[in-house]
Amino acid sequence: DQQVKQNSPSLSVQEGRISILNCDYTNSMFDYFLWYKKYPAEGPTFLISISSIKDKNEDGRFTVFLNKSAKHLSLHIVPSQPGDSAVYFCAASTIGGFKTIFGAGTRLFVKA
Amino acid sequence: SQTIHQWPATLVQPVGSPLSLECTVEGTSNPNLYWYRQAAGRGLQLLFYSVGIGQISSEVPQNLSASRPQDRQFILSSKKLLLSDSGFYLCAWSEGKAFFGQGTRLTVV
C-alpha cells in the first residue's frame, strides 16, 4: 500500500515557466512533509519541507503548499531553470518518528 | 558538520554471491540510520532502519539483512544475491529530515 503517491512519472516545462509537482498521501498521522531532488547516480538532496501546522512554505524559487483536508501537497518552482531538471521525490513522516516514506518520484524536464 | 559515506559507488556481482555495503556517518552521535533501495520506476523503498547499536527494524521481507556494529556504522548484507536485488541502494541518517549518501549501483548478473 503506497502511503505517499506521486501520480505523474514525468513533467516537461519550458524554461522560465512554473513547474508544479503534485503529491498525495493517505496516512493522516503524517505531520511533516519534504521534497527531495535527485540527479542520476547521486543520493537525493533535501530541498524544502513543511509541517502540518502550516499550509505554505517558501524558499527562493521553491514553494511547497499543503492541503491537509485533501491530503495533498505540491511543489512550485518559479521560474523553472534547465538545472532544475531532475527527479523530485515527495516524502512524509511523523515529527519525532523514525520513518520517512517516499513517493515514486516525478522526473522534471525543463527545456531551454 | 555531518557527513555520510557510502561505498562502493558501483558493484557488479554474480547471482549467488554475498554482498556487503557499508555506510558510515561522521559528526553526529546516535543517529537514526536507514537503508533505502531505488528500483526502476518504484521510488525509494525503505528496507531497514536502526535507532541504535544492534537495533535493526526490517520494513519488507527480502533477501537482505542489515547490521549496526557501531554507533555510526550501518551495513547491508546478503548471503546469496538474487537478480531481483539489483538496484540503487542508499544509506541515510536522519534528524527530522533525511540526509543521503551517494548511493551504490548494484547490478546482479
Side-chain angles (χ1 to χ4, degrees), chain A residues 2 32 34 36 38 41-46 49 87 89 93 97-105, chain B residues 32 34 36 38 41-44 46 49 51 59 88 90 94 96-103 105:
Chain A
Q2 275 190 299
Y32 187 53
L34 313 96
Y36 285 80
K38 184 183 182 299
E42 294 183 8
T45 54
F46 170 75
S49 64
V87 176
F89 288 100
S93 68
F98 299 124
K99 296 189 287 186
T100 301
I101 306 300
F102 286 81
Chain B
N32 293 334
Y34 305 82
Y36 286 87
Q38 183 186 14
R42 296 190 60 186
L44 296 175
L46 179 62
Y49 69 94
V51 300
E59 286 298 294
F88 191 58
L90 289 153
S94 174
K97 50 181 177 277
F99 298 90
F100 288 86
Q102 287 298 295
R105 169 70 61 192

Side-chain angles (χ1 to χ4, degrees), chain A residues 30-79:
Chain A
F30 288 143
D31 53 12
Y32 187 53
F33 304 90
L34 313 96
W35 284 95
Y36 285 80
K37 178 179 179 180
K38 184 183 182 299
Y39 293 115
E42 294 183 8
T45 54
F46 170 75
L47 196 56
I48 192 169
S49 64
I50 188 168
S51 73
S52 59
I53 62 173
K54 292 185 169 184
D55 55 17
K56 177 183 174 181
N57 189 25
E58 191 172 352
D59 184 2
R61 297 186 297 115
F62 302 90
T63 303
V64 56
F65 295 92
L66 175 63
N67 182 333
K68 290 184 291 293
S69 61
K71 293 191 178 69
H72 176 84
L73 65 154
S74 60
L75 174 68
H76 292 209
I77 307 174
V78 182

